[in-house]
């Protein structure tokens, strides 16, 4: 301005100054100054340098614009947002929705040819907004309860209460979000309506939770009872005593408390499960009693059968021993007979061996005699030859008488020679006989050896048979002894089992007797109390009380007496429910359970 640098605001104010000769524009300038008391101006450079880009600037990306232009635009936007202030009505900040509602009320009044009143219009807007806030708050509470509670039922009471508190807090925040005057009657009425609606919805959720909890707890209880208790009760012998049954019930209770949820958990535990526990105890008592009687009969039968089998085994063992003794005696006699026969054969062989020795000696003597005879024969032959030679030589010079003498001598020598040859032949025949006899003796010796070998083999065979028979006999005797020991041990085991069952039966009888005594004592107490009540009534009648009062007192005493005459099971059950039925962890005390069990048993 005249060579002086001015700011953007100064430029705007200079433009708002009246100019001579511009009346219409001056009026417009005055209106702008009156309506916009706080005003400012922002100048920006051209966004692009090229004219072609300027014509199509709406198609260009923001990053392609000049940096100086972008900086000025961003500074302008920041200044606008920093200078804006929310519109208020009676101190209440108007949101866009409230502003639209307020404008709508103005338009309705104008369209109805009425003068719009700001206060009445604002009141209508506030009431409408409170109704919308109430509706939104209730809808939020309903949606949160559906999502966090109804979809997860059953829930424990504490968990459901936490979800309810969180949803209620969110709903109240939604209702109070517009920041209306909390002291206004409309706000208070809406707040009361919100609490009432939340209570209705909460009660509905609690009822649904209890119903689902009841169904879920009953289903869990029935499933656990069928799986852990009923299936075993249906099988005979699954429970041998009450401790195992109570142990299973304790496990059922723990599992039930872990799985069951919701407000019906304790109720189902104290009613349905308690009744099933009492019934299972009664069933087990009946089963054990019948089983005890059956076991006693079976054990007695087994003992008698074992005794009869033992007697039969003893008789059979004695018979087997007698037969084995007979077999051993027969085998021994046979072996002795064979031994005697073999000894006789050996003795005969020995005698035959002596004859063979004599035959050998005779053969030796005969051979020597034969050699001597052969020597004599050879000598005689030589003598005959020499005699013949001498005879031939003397034939020439000797007389005829001498020749005959020599001839006679020669003949005598020939006869001696023939006799010697006959003796030699006889000796040869005797030698042949002796050789035959010696061969026979050798055969006898060989036969003796064979007999001795057979005797030794037979002896070893008989000894092996006797040893096998002895071992078999001892093994059978040991087996029968083991069987007898086993039968004895079984008999002792049966006796111990009978004693144990008898002791358990005796304990149960004592318990029943104790329960009956307690029941009789309670009955005496009830009778005594009734008599005392009658005496009290009589004394009161004597004092002159009104008959109506007597009748009322009499009815109360009768009701008390009838209540006392109720079944012990009912009193036990009420006691189980009334006292501290559950520990801190929700478990059922065994004292109450046992009292209820024996009360039902009576």
């Amino acid at each position: 301005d005249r060579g002086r640098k001015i700011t953007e605001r100064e430029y705007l104010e200079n433009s708002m100054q009246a100019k001579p000769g511009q009346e219409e524009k001056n009026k417009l300038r005055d209106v702008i100054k009156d309506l916009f008391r706080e005003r400012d101006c922002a100048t920006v450079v051209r966004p692009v340098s090229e004219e072609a880009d300027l014509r199509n600037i709406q198609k260009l990306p923001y990053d392609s614009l000049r940096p100086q232009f972008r900086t000025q635009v961003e500074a302008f936007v920041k200044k606008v947002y920093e200078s804006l202030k929310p519109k208020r009505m009676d101190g209440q900040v108007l949101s866009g929705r409230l502003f639209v509602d307020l404008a709508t009320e103005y338009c309705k009044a104008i369209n109805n040819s009425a003068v719009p009143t700001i206060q009445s219009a604002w009141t209508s807007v506030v009431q409408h907004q409170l109704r919308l806030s109430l509706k939104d708050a209730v809808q939020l509470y309903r949606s949160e309860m559906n999502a966090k509670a109804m979809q997860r039922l059953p829930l424990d009471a504490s968990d459901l209460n936490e979800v309810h508190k969180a949803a209620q807090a969110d709903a109240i925040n939604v209702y109070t979000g517009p920041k209306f005057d909390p002291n206004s009657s409309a706000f208070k009425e809406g707040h009361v309506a919100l609490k009432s609606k939340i209570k209705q919805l909460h009660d509905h959720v609690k009822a649904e939770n209890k119903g689902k909890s009841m169904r879920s707890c009953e289903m869990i209880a029935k499933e656990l009872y069928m799986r852990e208790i009923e299936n075993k009760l249906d099988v005979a012998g699954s429970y041998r005593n009450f401790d195992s049954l109570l142990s299973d019930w304790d496990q059922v209770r723990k599992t039930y408390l872990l799985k069951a949820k919701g407000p019906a958990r304790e109720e189902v535990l104290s009613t349905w499960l308690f009744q099933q526990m009492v019934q299972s105890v009664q069933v087990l008592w009946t089963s054990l009693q019948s089983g005890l009687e059956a076991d006693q009969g079976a054990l007695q039968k087994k003992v008698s059968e074992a005794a009869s089998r033992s007697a039969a085994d003893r008789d059979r063992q004695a018979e087997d021993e007698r037969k084995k003794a007979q077999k051993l005696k027969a085998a021994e006699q046979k072996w002795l007979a064979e031994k005697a026969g073999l000894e006789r054969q050996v003795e005969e062989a020995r005698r035959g061996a002596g004859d063979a020795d004599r035959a050998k000696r005779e053969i030796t003597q005969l051979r020597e005699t034969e050699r001597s005879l052969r020597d004599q024969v050879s000598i005689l032959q030589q003598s005959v030859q020499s005699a013949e030679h001498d005879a031939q030589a003397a034939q020439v010079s000797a007389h005829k008488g001498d020749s005959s003498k020599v001839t006679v001598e020669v003949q005598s020598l020939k006869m001696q020679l023939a006799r010697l040859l006959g003796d030699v032949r006889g000796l040869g025949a005797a030698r042949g006989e002796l050789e035959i006899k010696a061969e026979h003796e050798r055969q006898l010796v060989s036969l003796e050896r064979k007999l001795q070998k057979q005797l030794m083999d037979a002896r070893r065979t008989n000894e092996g048979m006797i040893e096998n028979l002895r071992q078999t006999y001892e093994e059978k005797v040991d087996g029968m002894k083991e069987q007898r020991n086993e039968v004895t041990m079984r008999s002792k085991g049966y006796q111990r089992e009978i004693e144990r069952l008898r002791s358990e039966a005796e304990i149960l009888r004592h318990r029943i007797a104790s329960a009956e005594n307690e029941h009789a004592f309670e009955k005496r107490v009830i009778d005594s109390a009734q008599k005392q009540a009658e005496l009290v009534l009589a004394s009161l009648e004597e004092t002159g009380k009104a008959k109506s009062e007597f009748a009322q007192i009499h009815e109360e005493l009768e009701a008390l007496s009838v209540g006392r005459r109720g079944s012990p099971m009912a009193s036990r059950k009420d006691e189980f429910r009334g006292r501290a039925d559950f520990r801190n962890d929700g478990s059922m005390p065994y004292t109450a359970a046992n009292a209820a069990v024996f009360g039902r048993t009576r």
Side-chain angles (χ1 to χ4, degrees), residues 96-145:
R97 185 172 182 177
L98 289 175
F99 184 76
V100 170
D101 292 339
L102 185 60
T104 302
E105 291 294 328
Y106 289 161
C107 291
K108 287 180 181 179
I110 294 171
N111 291 333
N112 292 329
S113 300
V115 178
T117 304
I118 296 176
Q119 189 63 37
S120 60
W122 173 245
T123 302
S124 299
V125 169
V126 169
Q127 291 177 351
H128 178 67
Q129 184 61 37
L130 285 174
R131 287 194 296 270
L132 293 178
S133 298
L134 175 62
K135 183 179 179 181
D136 293 340
V138 172
Q139 183 62 31
L140 176 63
Y141 178 83
R142 181 183 287 109
S143 62
E144 288 192 5
M145 291 298 287

Side-chain angles (χ1 to χ4, degrees), residues 323-452:
K323 290 181 179 180
K324 289 177 181 178
Q326 290 178 357
K327 289 181 180 179
L328 287 174
K329 188 174 181 181
E332 184 178 4
Q333 291 176 356
K334 182 179 179 181
W335 179 75
L336 291 175
E338 291 178 355
K339 181 180 179 182
L342 291 174
E343 287 178 351
R344 286 194 300 272
Q345 292 178 2
V346 169
E347 187 63 28
E348 291 176 356
R350 286 177 180 174
R351 286 197 298 271
D355 295 338
D357 292 337
R358 287 194 299 273
K360 287 180 181 179
R361 288 193 297 272
E362 290 177 357
I363 289 172
T364 303
Q365 292 176 0
L366 288 173
R367 285 177 178 174
E368 291 177 354
T369 304
E370 183 181 4
R371 280 196 299 272
S372 64
L373 290 174
R374 287 184 183 277
D375 292 339
Q376 291 178 7
V377 168
S378 62
I379 292 171
L380 288 174
Q381 287 178 353
Q382 290 176 1
S383 298
V384 169
Q385 289 177 0
S386 64
E388 288 178 352
H389 181 69
D390 291 338
Q392 290 176 1
Q395 219 173 21
V396 178
S397 59
H399 295 92
K400 189 176 180 178
D402 295 331
S403 177
S404 60
K405 185 178 179 180
V406 171
T407 302
V408 171
E409 291 178 355
V410 170
Q411 289 294 330
S412 64
L413 289 173
K414 287 182 178 180
M415 290 176 65
Q416 291 178 359
L417 180 61
R419 190 170 55 254
L420 290 173
L421 289 174
D423 293 336
V424 169
R425 291 189 187 95
L427 289 173
R431 187 182 65 181
E433 291 178 357
L434 290 174
E435 287 179 353
I436 292 171
K437 190 174 182 181
E439 182 66 25
H440 179 66
E441 293 298 332
R442 284 195 298 273
Q443 291 179 357
L444 288 176
V445 171
S446 176
L447 180 61
E448 179 185 5
R449 291 175 180 173
K450 289 181 180 180
L451 290 175
Q452 287 180 352

